[in-house]
Amino acid sequence: MKKIYTYLKACAGFIARSKRAYGAPASCFIETTNLCNLRCPFCVAGSGALTRPKGFLKIDEFEIILRNLPEGITDIYLWGQGEPFMTPEFLSMVRLASERGFTSIVSTNGHFLDHPKDIIDSGLDTLIVSLDGVDPDTYESYRIGGSFNKVIEGIRLLSEAASRGNSRFKIKLQCVVNNRNENDLYRYKALGRSLGVQGIEFKTLQAASLPGGESSGVGIPNDPKLSRYHKKQRGENVILEPDYNWMLRNRCLRLYYSFQVDWKGNVLPCCFDKNSEYLLGNLLDEPFDTIWNGEKYRTFRAELNSNGRKLPMCRDCTEGLRRMNIRV
C-alpha cells in the first residue's frame, strides 16, 4: 500500500507538470562502481564512452546513503554503469540494505557467482543475470571478454544452492536482443528453464545514445518487432528514433518517483546521466529532503516539462518505450 500511495503522488506531480515532487520517491538506483570486467560494444563503460573518474563506493559511504534515504523508498537497485560484484564488500552492502528492510535488486554480468551461499545469505531479493546468447559464439560476440561457460556454471550453482533453502531469493535471466541472437529466443527460454531460474526477460537493444549509434543501426535486430526504434531515412543516413507512448514522448514520469546515485554519492536525475553531468546534490553531505525538491531538481523538472526531450541523455531514455521488454 505504501508503494501504491507513493506512485500515485508521483503521477499527480507528473500530470500537473509540477517542478516539485508531491511525495517521496519509491525507488532509487545506487551505483557501487563504474568499473567493469567486460567490453560490451553498446555499453558506455565497455565502449570507452564513459569519461568520468572510475572508482568504488565504500561501505561506510553506502551506510550514510542508506540512512539518508526517505521512508517512501522500498526498492533499491544496486547497479549503475559498472559490474556491482567488483565492488569490495559488495555483499556486505546488500546485507545492510536487507537489514534495513529494503528490497534489493542487483544486475550482473554473471562472472562473479563463485560463492552462491554468500550471495543467498546476504538477503538479496533478486539477481538479474545478463546472458545474451545460447552458445559461446553468440554470447561472446556481444559480451566481449566474457565467458559463456563461466556464466552458465555460476547460474547453475546459484540455482542449486537456492533450491536447497527456503530463501525468497530469485534469479532472472536477461537477454539483450540483437541481430546475432534474435533467432534463438525460443532456445533461450528452454535454456533458462533448464537452469532453474525464476524469470526470463528479453530486453531491446539500446544503441542510439552511443557515439555514431544514432545513424549506424549496428546490432539492431532485423525484425522491427524486436527493436525499440523506428528506422527513419534522413538524407543518406538511417536515423534510429525511439518508439514512445504518446503521453511520454516528450515527458518523464521517472523524475517524480526515482533517482540515481553514482559511486561518489552524487544524486542524478536517472541512470541515463551516464557521465554524471547533471548533479542535483550529494547524499554523503546533504539531507535528501533538501535535494529532492531543491532548486536544482525543481529547475531540471521544469526545463524538461517545458522543452521535452532536448537533452542528449533524454533522447534514448527507456521511460515510456513501447518495446522496452519483449514477450516471446
Side-chain angles (χ1 to χ4, degrees):
M1 290 302 296
K2 181 171 72 172
K3 186 184 294 188
I4 292 172
Y5 180 68
T6 302
Y7 276 110
L8 286 174
K9 281 196 166 185
C11 290
F14 170 80
I15 292 169
R17 293 179 177 265
S18 172
K19 62 184 179 180
R20 296 181 61 87
Y22 291 167
S27 63
C28 70
F29 290 75
I30 301 177
E31 175 187 78
T32 61
T33 184
N34 59 352
L35 288 161
C36 189
N37 56 308
L38 303 184
R39 303 185 305 281
C40 306
F42 293 100
C43 168
V44 291
S47 67
L50 199 66
T51 58
R52 59 187 166 97
K54 307 290 197 303
F56 302 100
L57 183 68
K58 298 175 182 176
I59 191 165
D60 58 329
E61 295 171 334
F62 182 74
E63 191 166 12
I64 292 171
I65 290 170
L66 288 187
R67 288 203 305 264
N68 215 346
L69 295 179
E71 289 185 7
I73 289 183
T74 56
D75 301 337
I76 295 181
Y77 299 87
L78 292 172
W79 72 81
Q81 305 307 320
E83 167 52 47
F85 279 89
M86 292 179 68
T87 308
E89 300 185 274
F90 177 67
L91 290 180
S92 295
M93 295 181 182
V94 175
R95 188 171 291 106
L96 277 175
S98 178
E99 290 171 352
R100 284 161 174 74
F102 295 107
T103 297
S104 55
I105 305 98
V106 173
S107 182
T108 177
N109 61 41
H111 286 78
F112 302 91
L113 307 180
D114 304 311
H115 302 284
K117 186 175 184 303
D118 292 342
I119 294 173
I120 294 169
D121 290 347
S122 70
L124 179 63
D125 290 272
T126 302
L127 184 70
I128 303 169
V129 184
S130 297
L131 183 72
D132 309 305
V134 295
D135 54 60
D137 287 344
T138 306
Y139 171 82
E140 292 166 18
S141 68
Y142 178 73
R143 296 283 170 177
I144 307 299
S147 168
F148 175 81
N149 291 331
K150 181 173 179 58
V151 177
I152 290 291
E153 181 62 16
I155 296 169
R156 197 181 304 279
L157 291 173
L158 197 53
S159 182
E160 290 173 357
S163 68
R164 292 194 293 266
N166 296 316
S167 172
R168 63 187 180 184
F169 173 74
K170 295 180 180 179
I171 308 170
K172 291 185 178 180
L173 292 190
Q174 179 177 272
C175 176
V176 176
V177 181
N178 55 64
N179 60 3
R180 292 177 180 267
N181 63 22
E182 63 179 306
N183 296 319
D184 296 330
L185 304 189
Y186 288 103
R187 290 174 60 202
Y188 190 95
K189 291 181 73 173
L191 174 62
R193 287 193 293 267
S194 73
L195 292 171
V197 301
Q198 286 72 49
I200 298 172
E201 294 180 347
F202 294 100
K203 183 180 178 181
T204 53
L205 177 68
Q206 177 197 346
S209 59
L210 291 176
E214 193 171 87
S215 59
S216 69
V218 174
I220 301 297
N222 296 306
D223 185 346
K225 295 178 182 178
L226 302 179
S227 173
R228 64 179 62 179
Y229 302 107
H230 290 307
K231 288 185 178 181
K232 292 194 173 181
Q233 195 74 33
R234 186 176 296 172
E236 296 181 356
N237 296 323
V238 175
I239 302 299
L240 300 177
E241 186 174 282
D243 185 12
Y244 290 112
N245 289 303
W246 68 271
M247 184 177 285
L248 292 169
R249 191 175 303 279
N250 264 315
R251 300 284 309 284
C252 184
L253 176 60
R254 192 178 307 191
L255 290 177
Y256 297 91
Y257 72 81
S258 186
F259 62 95
Q260 173 82 47
V261 183
D262 70 14
W263 70 268
K264 286 190 170 184
N266 295 311
V267 174
L268 315 173
C270 72
C271 60
F272 278 84
D273 186 4
K274 299 178 188 297
N275 271 309
S276 298
E277 297 179 74
Y278 301 94
L279 305 183
L280 304 174
N282 190 293
L283 283 181
L284 297 179
D285 50 34
E286 297 175 66
F288 178 81
D289 289 345
T290 65
I291 298 172
W292 184 237
N293 274 318
E295 182 180 352
K296 291 181 180 179
Y297 232 126
R298 296 198 310 271
T299 300
F300 192 90
R301 291 190 188 102
E303 288 183 357
L304 198 144
N305 283 331
S306 299
N307 301 320
R309 295 177 184 266
K310 299 298 184 184
L311 295 176
M313 62 170 268
C314 297
R315 293 175 190 162
D316 201 21
C317 175
T318 57
E319 186 75 5
L321 280 175
R322 292 183 188 275
R323 291 180 301 279
M324 168 68 173
N325 295 312
I326 307 162
R327 286 187 177 183
V328 176

